[in-house]
Amino acid sequence: MTIRVGVGGWTYEPWRGAFYPQGLTQKRELAFAARALTAIEINATYYGRQKPQSWHNWAAAVPDGFVFSVKASKYCTQRKVLADSGESIRKFLEQGFTALGDKLGPINWQLADGKTFDRDDFARFLDLIPERQDGVPLRHAVEVRHASFCHPAFLDLARARNIAVVFADSDAFPRIEEQTADFTYARLQRTLEDIDTGYDAAALDAWARQAKAWADGDRDVFIYFISGAKVRNPAAAMALIERLAS
C-alpha cells in the first residue's frame, strides 16, 4: 500500500511566495510541487481536453512514485441523465492521459451538486466507464454531492465495480465513509486561512491516523486538500506527509 497526499492543481497565484519560492518561474512550479508533495489532482481536465504533449511533459517533470489523479470532464458528469454521456466520456478518455503511465492515479468523476441518486441511470453510467484505456488499467472514484446517494444500492453498485466513493470532509457535501474499492480517495475541504497548516495539529494527527487505517490491508490511499482556504492547502499536505513519515 501507498499513501499519497497532495492538492488540486499546481498553478495558483497566491501560492507564489507562500508555497513557491519568490522568483520561481511558472514553468518550474510543477517540478517544485512534485518534490514537496506526493500527488496532484488535475482539475483542468474538468473544464476541457488537454494537449497530448502536455501529458508527456507533466510525466517528465515529476519524480518516480509521484501520481496524478485526473478529474473527469464536466461534460461527462454535470448532466441530468448520466447515461447520456457516452460520447463525452469517449472524448475525455481519448485525450492522451495514459501517457502518464505508472504516474496515472484514479479518475475522479465528480457529479453535480444537485444530482440525486437514480439507480438505473447510475448503473447505466457505470457501464460507460471502462476498466482500461489504451491498454492501461484505470481506477475510478465517484464524488457525489447529494444526500440521496447515502443509499445501500449506490454502495452496492460502486462495490461491484471496484469504484471508490470519494470521502469528503466538507460542510456542504455528504460524508460517506464506506469503503467500496481496493483504494481510498479522500478530499479534505476544511482548511482555514488563520491556521498556517490549514488544519490544526490535532486534526492533522487525526487525519494521519485515519490515513493509516484506510491503508490497513494493502489499500492505496489518495488524499487531497481541496477548496477551503486554498492558499493553505500545500502546507496542510506537507504537514500530513511529515506525520505519515514518522
Side-chain angles (χ1 to χ4, degrees):
M1 65 84 187
T2 303
I3 302 172
R4 292 184 172 89
V5 183
V7 297
W10 60 87
T11 302
Y12 183 55
E13 194 280 332
W15 287 346
R16 294 165 189 154
F19 172 45
Y20 297 126
Q22 291 286 358
L24 184 74
T25 63
Q26 187 172 338
K27 183 178 180 181
R28 297 176 59 195
E29 287 178 349
L30 174 56
F32 181 93
R35 283 158 178 79
L37 312 173
T38 51
I40 282 176
E41 183 187 81
I42 299 175
N43 294 313
T45 46
Y46 176 78
Y47 300 101
R49 289 166 63 96
Q50 305 302 300
K51 296 177 181 178
Q53 187 58 45
S54 294
W55 298 104
H56 292 278
N57 294 344
W58 296 341
V62 303
D64 291 343
F66 188 88
V67 164
F68 294 97
S69 293
V70 180
K71 194 171 177 182
S73 167
K74 64 180 180 180
Y75 300 106
C76 304
T77 59
Q78 305 296 294
R79 291 174 174 265
K80 183 176 181 180
V81 180
L82 291 171
D84 289 345
S85 60
E87 181 63 14
S88 295
I89 290 174
R90 182 190 65 78
K91 290 179 179 178
F92 166 71
L93 294 172
E94 291 179 353
Q95 67 183 286
F97 58 71
T98 53
L100 294 174
D102 59 6
K103 295 171 183 174
L104 174 63
I107 299 170
N108 177 15
W109 302 81
Q110 183 190 89
L111 305 189
D113 293 8
K115 175 61 180 174
T116 59
F117 177 57
D118 178 320
R119 187 195 182 285
D120 291 342
D121 181 36
F122 188 71
R124 290 166 58 206
F125 173 70
L126 293 186
D127 288 341
L128 300 172
I129 298 175
E131 295 181 358
R132 306 179 76 86
Q133 178 67 27
D134 304 328
V136 176
L138 302 180
R139 288 190 282 189
H140 301 287
V142 175
E143 182 176 2
V144 300
R145 297 190 151 194
H146 193 275
S148 62
F149 282 87
C150 300
H151 192 291
F154 165 64
L155 298 173
D156 288 344
L157 286 169
R159 190 178 296 108
R161 293 287 301 274
N162 193 40
I163 292 175
V165 176
V166 173
F167 173 90
D169 181 43
S170 167
D171 294 322
F173 307 123
R175 182 186 181 106
I176 300 177
E177 302 194 40
E178 188 82 12
Q179 298 297 303
T180 58
D182 60 5
F183 69 97
T184 295
Y185 199 108
R187 298 175 101 234
L188 308 185
Q189 302 172 57
R190 298 180 193 262
T191 48
L192 299 174
E193 192 161 352
D194 60 357
I195 300 174
D196 288 346
T197 54
Y199 285 78
D200 65 25
L204 289 167
D205 289 344
W207 285 122
R209 291 192 296 271
Q210 180 63 76
K212 292 175 181 178
W214 281 329
D216 187 40
D218 294 330
R219 177 183 282 114
D220 286 341
V221 178
F222 303 85
I223 299 174
Y224 296 101
F225 290 88
I226 300 282
S227 302
K230 188 172 178 179
V231 70
R232 300 300 187 198
N233 288 345
M238 290 187 292
L240 183 56
I241 290 168
E242 182 180 0
R243 283 164 169 79
L244 291 170
S246 61

